[in-house]
Amino acid sequence: MTRRAAVLALIGSVAACGFTPVYGPQGGGTALVNAIDLPEPSDDSQYVFNRRFEERMGRGGGAAPYRLTTRIQIDDQDIGATSAGSVTRVRLIGRVFFTLTDTATGEVVRDARTNAFTGYSTTGATVATSAAQRDAQERLMILLADQVIDDLVLHVSNVPTAGSTP
């Protein structure tokens, strides 16, 4: 069997099994694009989370059919130290508890949580350590926003596309 025949056979078998691309015409991802309203950010972490969410899913605005509420929790953990006891590395552990609600009915469509971690070095100057901490927090919020989006797209496949009737 040639490579081309193998690829065509694979594509045919995937299509036959009922596979629907998540961002395809009938996919769950398409229904949520520009359809989710986010709360106003209350701090830098929420701002970065919202920015990343809107980069990938668009801005739903106040008239969006769904509302996403989030509670972000960040803990830090010292994971490296010198023999003198100075901290050399910090791990940031982030959790997002989120609820997607249908704004018309008030029905909870998805209620879940996700978590991720990242770290930064504290061995530089104070300014360098502060910059590394801000960068790590931004990376953590991007990771968490991506995970929330992935969760919603994978688990919320039965929502109608914005503007359509169920």
Side-chain angles (χ1 to χ4, degrees):
M1 181 182 283
T2 67
R3 182 181 291 204
R4 176 178 253 169
V7 169
L8 290 174
L10 177 64
I11 291 171
S13 67
V14 168
C17 77
F19 171 77
T20 303
V22 83
Y23 289 109
Q26 302 300 318
T30 303
L32 296 175
V33 172
N34 294 318
I36 300 174
D37 183 35
L38 297 172
E40 290 294 320
S42 58
D43 58 23
D44 290 342
S45 295
Q46 185 73 51
Y47 172 79
V48 173
F49 180 93
N50 285 9
R51 184 186 71 203
R52 177 59 175 180
F53 195 94
E54 289 177 351
E55 284 173 1
R56 288 193 53 201
M57 297 300 289
R59 182 178 295 218
Y66 303 101
R67 177 149 179 87
L68 183 72
T69 55
T70 58
R71 183 171 58 90
I72 298 173
Q73 178 183 9
I74 301 174
D75 297 314
D76 59 353
Q77 180 181 47
D78 299 342
I79 58 173
T82 64
S83 58
S86 298
V87 175
T88 60
R89 188 126 186 103
V90 175
R91 175 183 295 148
L92 296 179
I93 303 164
R95 292 172 199 80
V96 176
F97 302 86
F98 60 97
T99 304
L100 184 69
T101 307
D102 183 317
T103 55
T105 65
E107 177 187 350
V108 172
V109 178
R110 177 83 175 142
D111 186 28
R113 82 171 229 183
T114 189
N115 56 17
F117 70 91
T118 189
Y120 64 95
S121 174
T122 63
T123 58
T126 305
V127 172
T129 298
S130 180
Q133 180 183 21
R134 281 192 310 276
D135 179 65
Q137 286 176 334
E138 184 167 338
R139 285 183 283 124
L140 181 61
M141 290 302 100
I142 290 169
L143 282 167
L144 290 169
D146 286 345
Q147 288 179 357
V148 168
I149 291 166
D150 292 346
D151 181 278
L152 292 174
V153 167
L154 292 172
H155 291 98
V156 183
S157 59
N158 59 345
V159 297
T161 303
S164 69
T165 55

